[in-house]
Amino acid sequence: MRKSANVTIHADKIRFPVSPTLYGLFFEEISHAGDGGIYAELIRNRSFEDTLVPDRCHVENCKLHSPAGWVSPFEHTDPIPGWYTQIPEGCEAEIKLDDALPLNETNPVSLRVEAASVPHGRVSVCNTGFWGIPVRSGETYNLSFYGKKADGYQGELEITLEDRSGNIYASGSVTLTSGEWRKYELTLESDGDDAEAILAFSTRSAGTFWLELVSLFPATTFLHRKNGLRPDLVGMLQQLKPSFLRFPGGCFVEGFSVETAYRWKKTIGDLSERTSHWTLWQYRTTNGLGYHEYLQMAEDMGLHMMFVVNCGLTCQGRPGEMIPMEDLSEWVQDMLDAIEYANGPVTGYWGSLRAKNGHPEPFGLKYLEIGNENFGPEYNLRYRVFYEAVKEKYPEIVTIWNTHWEVGTETKGLPVEIVDEHFYADNDFYQQYHDMYDHYDRSGPKIYVGEYAMIVDNKSGTLLGALSEAAFMTGMERNQDLVTMSSYAPLFANIHHTVWDPSLIYFDGTKVYGTPSFHIQKMFGEHRGEYVVDSHVATESRPAGLYGGLGVEEKALDRIQDLVVSNGSETLLRLNRLSGSQPQCREFHGTLLIGDPSWSQYDVSIKAILGSEGIRLRLLDRHLPWDKQNYLLWELDPDGESRLVRIVGWSRVKLAPNRKIAVREADWQHMQATIVDDTVKCFLNGELIHEYQSAPIPYLTSVSTLDRKAGELIIKLVNPSPYLLETEIHIHGAGTVPVQGIQTVLTSRNPKDANTIDRPESVSPKDSDFRCDDGVYPLPPYAAAILRIKI
Ligand code: AHR
């Protein structure tokens, strides 16, 4: 099946330089991205704290209950995960967590090993690592731990890397010499390869001893740094040619309670001084990959640094806890100190601490995001305080407003430099709204698309998902005077504990692969060019499909009456009052879903009192679960501010200009919406206030940039359709240019094709020469192509 398309490029019409920071990395401690991931520590549960329940929380039936009532999995049937004993028959031993006489305040429990009887053989306490300790022949491993012994125990420990049947790859020994905590260190060299080895501490004599902070690192870390990173995972990041690193999240920054919020000061210094904490991603982080290491990681990769600071709000969706405004100063001070730690002189307190931690030179932290996905009046208030504090002391720091559920550049009159927008949506969303930024106000803040990914029915990270993102990315590139930064999210997932799909890069202890989205990010990151040039696409398209029923918030039901839905002369539904027991009404998590999700053309009218909360009327609601939700939302605030937006997945796009209408909260308002063909109109008391015409979904999207140094035109073409697109390429303003050069093409036979840990390169780009004598480039179905043409 073929279709034709047309791309016209004016190589001499430069629109603006490319944004040097357009592509960056979003790093979050999620799905073991850090611990058990890029942080090269090989010991799981090294401080024996993995099952500690966070303060003010409780656990019931393997579920953690937060102080605010959020419930999440806490599946620890084993009190000491990662550790087990090997006790030969005839020997007696047990291990348990011990909170008596801990190493220090930040390490509240240790492991007590009581070998009551060892008449023969050896009693061992073993660590399994993060789903296996990977060892390689010839590689050196640096072990350190704190230990102490009870009176009467002679203290000799054999320490081995071995397999589960006792075949030894490396061995050494340590004698515990004291009843007080002491640090012991040992180097082990493996003489074998094993992806799932264990570390064993063995004793051949009876006695009691304790272990704490057991740490094992391969000598080979990225740039051979101590407490460093896995080189293979860093290598994947480097392939993306990123320009900045955002850290450490994501919701990880927010936490679900004050105690689980990210506090950078607890993550620096000697490992024994750091506090671990439970994350909202269902595991405890050691914070071994701490604030200093994030800065170091960015520096070592040559990236700008972006720290996301908790602004005194935990994740409001879980639900949140708020630091009262009168107590906010401690949190504001933490932020200022974070900047001082990163950038201040060694003569100051924080700069000298940085030097003590191994980095006398300032790091050069550049960006600071105030909060993550916080919103509403609570955020606005806190944002202002944080913003003003930064700008007063560090005016050079570029601040970012973390808008999530707001729309675009609406920043409530607050001073904003950059807005962070997040999109987790379906294929159609990214393809249809590829031109979203064409319509944004240029006089407002810059845009950072800080998180985005195609998430609907896309757990494996498919080619089609990647192509939809690519279509959207052509729009970002065409508007990079405005969209100056972006980062796909999340970045990493360990296949053994993945809490969010898709992620960009999956790995286990030894293997790693990128999804098709990884390859798109890499292709776009590698071929940026220097200037965006004028280009136009003519393409066929498919209808976006406007259909769906209605929905209103249940809390507004007693302020709504006289619902009438009709299609021409046919009345589809008439209800004087709304409730879950009325015909064609269904309650769903606080929303009353009304009517038939297959409705397409209709006229709906209600009478409503705005009250103190306003009215939110869902139109064209497909009545889908919340991660796939898809509807238009007409929001009418009590003060008469009216918005028409589209909600898809966890994404929101503005469909028409906001309006402010004079209304009285207590009066009945007449809200009416008509849907005819592809046009939606909203009338308030008879006055047309919003009009939106849904655009069709194009088969082809494109952007062109110029690489002057290389003397090349870079044309990006994205085709998520099932058609081969015979694409006529017209290049103007550069003399006669044959359509030939080098192409990088990502495609596969099936749009649902994905990569896996065993087939990591199933969907991967191919480079080759190309030449189109007739100027018609055959863009395969389900493909993204980047053409480099000499001009
Ligand atoms: O990327 C995963 C999560 O999605 C992030 O933690 C959060 O910011 C967003 O909701």
Side-chain angles (χ1 to χ4, degrees):
M1 292 184 300
R2 287 162 189 263
K3 301 261 178 201
S4 50
N6 205 306
V7 180
T8 306
I9 301 150
H10 295 275
D12 56 342
K13 288 196 188 157
I14 288 182
R15 295 184 57 212
F16 35 75
V18 302
S19 164
T21 52
L22 185 59
Y23 296 114
L25 302 173
F26 164 95
F27 184 94
E28 172 163 26
E29 181 58 271
I30 179 173
S31 300
H32 282 281
D35 280 316
I38 201 166
Y39 180 52
E41 173 65 81
L42 294 171
I43 302 300
R44 178 172 175 206
N45 195 11
R46 68 183 182 190
S47 289
F48 308 101
E49 290 158 14
D50 276 10
T51 52
L52 297 189
V53 177
D55 285 356
R56 297 188 298 128
C57 297
H58 68 277
V59 171
E60 258 175 60
N61 299 329
C62 292
K63 295 265 187 275
L64 182 89
H65 294 251
S66 81
W70 180 62
V71 181
S72 72
F74 194 87
E75 283 158 359
H76 287 309
T77 42
D78 175 357
I80 318 176
W83 294 89
Y84 72 103
T85 50
Q86 288 177 346
I87 308 168
E89 235 181 284
C91 298
E92 278 174 46
E94 67 167 353
I95 56 172
K96 59 180 175 200
L97 297 180
D98 191 353
D99 60 5
L101 303 173
L103 174 64
N104 56 25
E105 258 182 30
T106 55
N107 286 278
V109 287
S110 62
L111 186 74
R112 182 177 192 274
V113 185
E114 185 176 349
S117 164
V118 192
H120 58 90
R122 56 172 210 176
V123 159
S124 307
V125 51
C126 312
N127 187 273
T128 57
F130 293 92
W131 303 279
I133 296 178
V135 292
R136 270 184 300 124
S137 183
E139 175 65 278
T140 302
Y141 297 87
N142 298 321
L143 175 75
S144 66
F145 68 96
Y146 289 81
K148 64 178 179 175
K149 68 181 185 87
D151 286 347
Y153 176 49
Q154 45 95 332
E156 204 166 296
L157 293 177
E158 290 171 21
I159 300 176
T160 45
L161 283 167
E162 53 184 70
D163 70 11
R164 286 200 179 231
S165 327
N167 296 310
I168 292 178
Y169 303 117
S171 66
S173 65
V174 159
T175 303
L176 302 178
T177 53
S178 171
E180 302 293 322
W181 287 114
R182 288 213 176 135
K183 187 172 182 183
Y184 299 87
E185 287 174 295
L186 185 71
T187 298
L188 296 164
E189 189 178 327
S190 176
D191 62 9
D193 293 328
D194 191 339
E196 294 180 16
I198 58 166
L199 173 75
F201 291 82
S202 306
T203 178
R204 292 183 184 272
S205 61
T208 300
F209 64 94
W210 287 261
L211 297 174
E212 176 58 295
L213 190 43
V214 181
S215 172
L216 182 76
F217 273 84
T220 310
T221 57
F222 176 53
L223 298 183
H224 297 281
R225 291 216 179 271
K226 255 187 108 186
N227 198 39
L229 306 176
R230 253 178 79 167
D232 58 339
L233 299 192
V234 175
M236 291 294 281
L237 301 184
Q238 287 173 318
Q239 286 185 47
L240 296 170
K241 302 264 187 304
S243 50
F244 64 89
L245 176 73
R246 163 181 168 168
F247 60 86
C251 296
F252 174 74
V253 171
E254 300 158 88
F256 54 84
S257 61
V258 173
E259 295 82 2
T260 56
Y262 187 76
R263 308 298 298 272
W264 73 273
K265 288 179 181 169
K266 298 182 177 182
T267 74
I268 57 166
D270 190 81
L271 296 185
S272 66
E273 288 158 12
R274 301 188 190 192
T275 311
S276 68
H277 78 272
W278 186 258
T279 70
L280 39 60
W281 301 123
Q282 302 158 30
Y283 60 96
R284 185 170 275 269
T285 171
T286 61
N287 285 313
L289 178 59
Y291 183 62
H292 185 99
E293 287 76 19
Y294 284 121
L295 295 166
Q296 188 67 66
M297 171 173 166
E299 182 182 86
D300 285 347
M301 292 175 66
L303 307 179
H304 293 301
M305 299 155 201
M306 182 193 295
F307 176 48
V308 184
V309 70
N310 187 302
C311 64
L313 289 171
T314 70
C315 179
Q316 287 158 281
R318 278 183 163 91
E321 294 194 316
M322 283 170 217
I323 301 301
M325 293 302 285
E326 59 273 20
D327 298 337
L328 205 58
S329 54
E330 179 194 327
W331 296 63
V332 174
Q333 192 58 47
D334 269 10
M335 169 198 61
L336 295 175
D337 293 344
I339 300 171
E340 190 64 21
Y341 181 92
N343 296 354
V346 279
T347 46
Y349 175 77
W350 292 107
S352 71
L353 204 55
R354 182 189 66 237
K356 190 174 152 226
N357 291 335
H359 201 287
E361 293 303 316
F363 277 112
L365 175 72
K366 180 164 182 190
Y367 299 98
L368 184 103
E369 178 151 352
I370 301 173
N372 175 71
E373 293 195 347
N374 294 130
F375 55 85
E378 297 82 12
Y379 176 68
N380 302 346
L381 274 173
R382 286 162 182 77
Y383 170 84
R384 185 184 282 282
V385 175
F386 275 73
Y387 173 86
E388 285 174 356
V390 184
K391 285 295 167 188
E392 192 185 331
K393 194 152 182 218
Y394 304 103
E396 71 283 6
I397 293 283
V398 181
T399 56
I400 301 172
W401 155 277
N402 87 154
T403 181
H404 176 46
W405 211 229
E406 312 288 324
V407 176
T409 50
E410 274 139 41
T411 48
K412 314 287 176 205
L414 290 160
V416 175
E417 296 175 270
I418 301 180
V419 171
D420 175 6
E421 300 199 334
H422 294 182
F423 303 104
Y424 291 101
D426 64 9
N427 284 308
D428 284 2
F429 178 93
Y430 291 109
Q431 294 176 35
Q432 181 176 16
Y433 298 116
H434 73 99
D435 61 351
M436 171 190 299
Y437 293 111
D438 295 354
H439 314 295
Y440 264 49
D441 175 9
R442 259 49 187 182
S443 63
K446 300 289 183 199
I447 303 292
Y448 164 38
V449 182
E451 297 185 29
Y452 66 104
M454 202 297 267
I455 58 153
V456 176
D457 298 327
N458 193 32
K459 282 199 172 304
S460 54
T462 57
L463 171 65
L464 184 57
L467 295 174
S468 300
E469 291 152 11
F472 191 72
M473 288 161 72
T474 63
M476 294 189 329
E477 285 208 6
R478 287 194 310 272
N479 289 284
Q480 55 190 298
D481 58 323
L482 173 76
V483 182
T484 54
M485 308 178 89
S486 72
S487 46
Y488 181 101
L491 189 59
F492 278 126
N494 187 315
I495 60 164
H496 296 290
H497 181 113
T498 301
V499 295
W500 190 291
D501 288 307
S503 298
L504 197 65
I505 300 168
Y506 289 84
F507 60 86
D508 63 11
T510 54
K511 300 192 283 296
V512 55
Y513 75 92
T515 58
S517 297
F518 169 87
H519 292 294
I520 287 292
Q521 294 289 325
K522 178 170 181 269
M523 286 163 66
F524 276 55
E526 271 174 347
H527 300 285
R528 295 191 193 193
E530 293 164 347
Y531 300 94
V532 178
V533 295
D534 190 57
S535 67
H536 300 275
V537 169
T539 174
E540 289 179 66
S541 51
R542 63 188 165 95
L546 285 186
Y547 60 89
L550 300 163
V552 286
E553 290 174 306
E554 287 189 84
K555 62 183 179 188
L557 291 185
D558 58 356
R559 292 184 280 118
I560 299 176
Q561 66 182 38
D562 297 344
L563 169 103
V564 182
V565 189
S566 56
N567 182 3
S569 56
E570 184 190 0
T571 301
L572 301 173
L573 188 63
R574 180 185 291 277
L575 299 170
N576 293 340
R577 287 278 168 192
L578 300 179
S579 80
S581 56
Q582 299 277 29
Q584 298 203 52
C585 291
R586 176 164 69 91
E587 290 168 1
F588 182 74
H589 296 289
T591 299
L592 189 72
L593 303 180
I594 304 163
D596 185 338
S598 68
W599 284 346
S600 55
Q601 308 278 299
Y602 56 84
D603 178 309
V604 53
S605 122
I606 56 169
K607 282 205 201 141
I609 288 182
L610 299 183
S612 59
E613 298 195 352
I615 292 288
R616 283 162 174 66
L617 176 62
R618 295 185 183 189
L619 305 165
L620 296 165
D621 187 345
R622 298 186 190 176
H623 294 174
L624 292 170
W626 60 287
D627 56 335
K628 302 181 186 183
Q629 57 187 340
N630 197 322
Y631 52 87
L632 269 55
L633 185 65
W634 178 8
E635 296 182 315
L636 192 50
D637 287 351
D639 64 357
E641 169 144 333
S642 183
R643 296 177 291 274
L644 183 66
V645 298
R646 174 111 186 241
I647 309 291
V648 180
W650 308 318
S651 310
R652 184 174 161 118
V653 56
K654 182 170 170 176
L655 300 181
N658 295 356
R659 294 285 306 276
K660 183 93 180 231
I661 312 293
V663 282
R664 289 219 310 251
E665 298 182 7
D667 291 351
W668 285 102
Q669 315 293 332
H670 181 210
M671 296 173 72
Q672 188 197 2
T674 63
I675 297 140
V676 179
D677 298 330
D678 54 5
T679 302
V680 179
K681 292 183 182 171
C682 299
F683 300 86
L684 183 65
N685 301 325
E687 184 189 344
L688 176 65
I689 59 168
H690 299 300
E691 180 165 354
Y692 162 64
Q693 190 175 22
S694 172
I697 298 176
Y699 294 139
L700 178 69
T701 52
S702 176
V703 61
S704 294
T705 56
L706 194 61
D707 185 340
R708 270 199 183 144
K709 267 188 231 108
E712 288 173 351
L713 188 62
I714 302 171
I715 308 173
K716 297 189 173 88
L717 301 169
V718 179
N719 173 20
S721 86
Y723 306 107
L724 183 146
L725 297 182
E726 290 176 331
T727 309
E728 272 181 45
I729 297 182
H730 301 280
I731 301 170
H732 298 289
T736 308
V737 179
V739 180
Q740 66 179 49
I742 296 173
Q743 60 179 353
T744 304
V745 182
L746 182 75
T747 188
S748 192
R749 286 173 60 158
N750 189 323
K752 292 198 171 152
D753 283 349
N755 294 330
T756 64
I757 202 96
D758 298 316
R759 301 191 61 204
E761 293 286 320
S762 265
V763 185
S764 53
K766 309 277 176 296
D767 289 348
S768 60
D769 293 338
F770 78 98
R771 183 188 165 102
C772 308
D773 289 333
D774 55 359
V776 179
Y777 181 80
L779 181 61
Y782 304 120
I786 299 185
L787 313 180
R788 293 193 78 111
I789 297 177
K790 286 271 176 226
I791 58 168

